[in-house]
Amino acid sequence: TQLLEQSPQFLSIQEGENLTVYCNSSSVFSSLQWYRQEPGEGPVLLVTVVTGGEVKKLKRLTFQFGDARKDSSLHITAAQPGDTGLYLCAGLGGSNFGNEKLTFGTGTRLTIIP
Amino acid sequence: GAVVSQHPSRVICKSGTSVKIECRSLDFQATTMFWYRQFPKQSLMLMATSNEGSKATYEQGVEKDKFLINHASLTLSTLTVTSAHPEDSSFYICSAREGTGGKTQYFGPGTRLLVL
């Protein structure tokens, strides 16, 4: 059972457009991470957010952790073809899970059309 | 950054045979390693957590006798898929966490298993 729901599941947009991916759960997490995964490769960590309400920026990517530490969002500005990939959120230390485990979200497959 | 390797990167085997996948932390000591499975177009699902020198902890629904995990050293964990069947075909990914109390998991590149 997936307990971290991401939306949308699939997203295909034109180069230069903006987009937001959401990650929602009923559980509180001590921290939340975002990964990007290319086909046939392992996930690569993009960012970790720890504090409720925290906002982190990584070039054109903006990550926000919800005030209650149950949800997060990833916003990409002026998307580029290189942003194409599977984006995964993952919560650590959820109230319903063991503290050591990362629980991955359902994933958002993003395609940027040149 | 920390590097985790997996070997082999892909393997094809016949139904009924066993396959061993290695996960190594190359530049740090990993007291804890995690094994995930990822089916096509799906997310990563945790299979088990292994701590160096002790038995692995398996997630609900994962057969410990089918997926044997050994974590005999601080830099190596192995996953053996015993008596593999076509439904075991998947992408297996390991991750490793440093033993100093850090919470960052470093992921390997994954192993693609195809059982014929």
Side-chain angles (χ1 to χ4, degrees):
Chain A
T1 304
Q2 292 282 8
L3 299 178
L4 268 168
E5 296 288 336
Q6 287 183 234
S7 61
Q9 186 177 1
F10 298 96
L11 183 59
S12 182
I13 62 172
Q14 292 290 137
E15 179 177 0
E17 294 184 355
N18 302 331
L19 66 110
T20 302
V21 177
Y22 299 93
C23 173
N24 295 292
S25 175
S26 58
S27 299
V28 176
F29 295 99
S30 60
S31 65
L32 193 138
Q33 300 177 338
W34 283 92
Y35 293 82
R36 184 170 71 200
Q37 185 181 24
E38 304 286 346
E41 299 179 10
V44 175
L45 179 65
L46 297 175
V47 77
T48 300
V49 285
V50 179
T51 307
E54 182 177 2
V55 176
K56 279 191 174 179
K57 290 192 174 185
L58 182 65
K59 296 183 180 179
R60 294 177 292 100
L61 279 60
T62 302
F63 305 85
Q64 184 163 9
F65 202 10
D67 291 340
R69 289 186 287 125
K70 292 182 179 182
D71 53 83
S72 181
S73 64
L74 157 60
H75 182 79
I76 300 179
T77 304
Q80 303 293 315
D83 296 328
T84 294
L86 176 66
Y87 288 82
L88 296 161
C89 65
L92 181 68
S95 54
N96 292 337
F97 319 124
N99 284 331
E100 293 192 348
K101 302 179 198 175
L102 266 181
T103 300
F104 277 86
T106 47
T108 296
R109 191 163 297 279
L110 174 64
T111 303
I112 307 301
I113 304 166
Chain B
V3 177
V4 175
S5 70
Q6 283 184 239
H7 178 79
S9 59
R10 56 175 57 197
V11 56
I12 301 174
C13 70
K14 293 182 179 180
S15 185
T17 61
S18 295
V19 175
K20 180 184 286 188
I21 302 171
E22 292 184 350
C23 176
R24 294 182 184 274
S25 57
L26 299 183
D27 52 2
F28 66 98
Q29 294 187 327
T31 55
T32 305
M33 288 186 170
F34 303 87
W35 287 96
Y36 296 83
R37 182 168 50 184
Q38 185 178 31
F39 291 109
K41 302 189 187 301
Q42 294 187 21
S43 186
L44 279 71
M45 296 297 293
L46 180 65
M47 299 175 66
T49 302
S50 76
N51 292 296
E52 186 265 337
S54 62
K55 291 184 179 180
T57 302
Y58 290 81
E59 294 301 299
Q60 192 173 9
V62 179
E63 300 174 56
K64 63 179 181 180
D65 294 329
K66 180 170 183 61
F67 299 99
L68 301 178
I69 292 173
N70 184 283
H71 191 168
S73 78
L74 287 171
T75 59
L76 173 64
S77 176
T78 61
L79 167 67
T80 301
V81 182
T82 63
S83 187
H85 291 282
E87 56 266 31
D88 298 323
S89 299
S90 187
F91 195 49
Y92 292 86
I93 305 172
C94 74
S95 71
R97 188 172 67 197
E98 288 192 76
T100 56
K103 294 183 177 180
T104 300
Q105 289 184 30
Y106 299 96
F107 284 82
T111 296
R112 174 78 58 193
L113 170 63
L114 176 61
V115 184
L116 302 177

